[in-house]
Amino acid sequence: MNITQAMIDTYLRHCEKERRLTGHTIRAYRIDLGQFFQWHQAKEGETLDRAQIKAYLAHLNERFAASSVKRKMAALRAFLRYLSLENDEPSPFDGVKVTIREPKRLPRVIAAGDLAKMFGMGWPEDGCASSFRDFLYVRDTAIIEMLIGTGMRVSELCRLDLECCDLDGRQVRIDGKGSKERVVQMESEQTLRALAEYFEARTIFLYARASTDASKIRAEAVFLNRFGNRMSEQSVRAVISRRAQQTGVTVHITPHMFRHTFATMLLEDDVNLRYIQSLLGHSSVKTTERYTHVAHARQREIMREHNPRDAIGRKIRPA
């Protein structure tokens, strides 16, 4: 089998138009398949077969982390499977076993004290309800409330449209990976209040911008940047970093850590793993099971600090 750039472009259009994969996934496929195509071209027309795929795997293992290698090989496998079905011929990936052992890393969670700091930031001084500064404050607060209150991914947060948020019904409809929708209930009064305050500030903000650049405003998006357009994932990361810095949190906080914290806190409160899987939108419960390791680590900490056997010595005082 010989690969051309036109084949990759056709496959990416198939992923976008027929499989309806997200823009984030399409971009990742374009990068991963582009890297493979460059490597394949350097082989000067060699036919792509199992031996070459194994050589490419070795090439990736020398340059990338295990998680990245797994993603890139999965993208290549899906692409070659598509070509084999289209051309009614075997895939060169058939019979190739890709076993990549990843080091087990516990999901990083946010300490309760750091969360309290980030949520406890007071209203900006010297402002009024319609000022841009105050708009940013209520927007950023609503962002971290939604991340910790629903466990959604940052990509899902950025894709949220107004029609997805039902404050009266206390729920949000989330467009997850692979265009899989799920509904998550919002039962926290703080989260609902933060979102309602943001929607009010958002209306004032859009009204102020309408007279200057109405044509560029993406009014259907929930979270807007300073130009009235849908926020990017990078912008949300900047929001989290800024709020952490403003509140004296020294640990580097990422949006995904809110998701890890959401899941871990539910597990520590004895919520069934299947419910957590549904809330997170995981296809397999095995993905959700990694949070049990975090819970076990927390159990060790609890037993170290509050072990009943050690408490006996502290409670009994010599006469």
Side-chain angles (χ1 to χ4, degrees):
M1 180 181 288
N2 291 312
I3 305 299
T4 66
Q5 183 62 52
M7 291 177 176
I8 295 177
D9 293 338
T10 300
Y11 173 66
L12 293 177
R13 284 194 296 272
H14 163 75
C15 290
E16 180 183 6
K17 303 298 183 183
E18 299 180 37
R19 295 183 61 193
R20 296 183 62 192
L21 299 183
T22 66
H24 181 82
T25 302
I26 299 296
R27 285 191 295 273
Y29 277 12
R30 181 174 288 108
I31 292 171
D32 293 341
L33 295 177
Q35 289 174 345
F36 165 74
F37 182 63
Q38 288 182 348
W39 180 87
H40 178 62
Q41 273 192 316
K43 298 301 177 182
E44 298 180 349
E46 289 184 21
T47 300
L48 181 62
D49 54 17
R50 282 187 291 178
Q52 198 176 76
I53 290 177
K54 290 181 179 180
Y56 183 60
L57 174 60
H59 167 80
L60 292 177
N61 279 328
E62 292 175 355
R63 290 163 175 79
F64 298 97
S67 58
S68 297
V69 175
K70 287 180 69 174
R71 189 195 72 234
K72 292 176 186 299
M73 292 301 289
L76 179 59
R77 183 195 297 272
F79 170 57
L80 295 179
R81 184 174 182 273
Y82 164 80
L83 291 181
S84 70
L85 292 174
E86 289 291 306
N87 300 320
D88 194 23
E89 62 182 42
S91 167
F93 222 116
D94 293 344
V96 177
K97 292 184 178 180
V98 179
T99 304
I100 303 171
R101 182 174 297 175
E102 287 189 72
K104 287 188 177 180
R105 293 191 180 94
L106 293 180
R108 294 177 60 221
V109 299
I110 308 171
D114 288 339
L115 276 175
K117 288 179 182 178
M118 295 180 74
F119 284 111
M121 177 177 168
W123 194 273
E125 298 177 358
D126 302 326
C128 60
S130 61
S131 72
F132 179 67
R133 184 184 180 194
D134 288 349
F135 165 77
L136 291 181
Y137 171 78
V138 294
R139 185 202 66 183
D140 295 355
T141 300
I143 284 174
I144 62 175
E145 284 282 0
M146 289 293 282
L147 289 173
I148 195 62
T150 66
M152 66 173 62
R153 302 175 178 91
V154 62
S155 58
E156 296 167 343
L157 180 96
C158 293
R159 286 198 299 271
L160 271 185
D161 286 338
L162 288 178
E163 64 177 10
C164 298
C165 298
D166 181 3
L167 296 188
D168 292 333
R170 305 168 75 93
Q171 63 184 27
V172 59
R173 189 176 75 251
I174 300 173
D175 179 18
K177 281 187 175 180
S179 298
K180 295 178 181 177
E181 285 190 352
R182 68 186 187 278
V183 173
V184 174
Q185 291 69 34
M186 296 186 294
E187 292 298 332
S188 167
E189 296 297 337
Q190 292 94 325
T191 301
L192 289 168
R193 184 165 53 249
L195 202 55
E197 289 177 354
Y198 167 64
F199 283 159
E200 183 177 349
R202 179 184 178 280
T203 300
I204 297 172
F205 168 70
L206 286 176
Y207 180 79
R209 284 200 58 84
S211 60
T212 58
D213 204 3
S215 62
K216 293 184 178 180
I217 292 176
R218 299 294 300 276
E220 73 274 11
V222 170
F223 292 106
L224 305 177
N225 61 21
R226 65 179 63 243
F227 304 108
N229 296 321
R230 188 183 298 274
M231 289 185 70
S232 67
E233 295 178 26
Q234 190 59 37
S235 296
V236 174
R237 292 188 180 93
V239 165
I240 301 301
S241 296
R242 182 171 63 245
R243 177 60 66 95
Q245 185 178 19
Q246 290 171 336
T247 55
V249 175
T250 56
V251 178
H252 177 60
I253 306 292
T254 68
H256 214 65
M257 288 171 67
F258 285 90
R259 182 171 166 86
H260 293 327
T261 305
F262 170 85
T264 303
M265 292 179 74
L266 288 177
L267 193 62
E268 289 177 350
D269 279 347
D270 296 325
V271 176
N272 186 282
L273 203 62
R274 291 288 183 181
Y275 291 136
I276 300 175
Q277 176 193 358
S278 176
L279 290 168
L280 294 176
H282 285 159
S283 299
S284 169
V285 74
K286 289 186 177 297
T287 307
T288 318
E289 283 175 348
R290 61 179 173 163
Y291 294 108
T292 61
H293 298 292
V294 182
H296 290 159
R298 174 61 179 153
Q299 288 176 13
R300 182 178 295 278
E301 181 183 340
I302 291 171
M303 292 302 291
R304 185 185 300 117
E305 297 178 0
H306 305 284
N307 193 295
R309 178 62 186 87
D310 294 339
I312 294 173
R314 295 194 297 268
K315 293 183 178 181
I316 298 178
R317 296 287 186 270

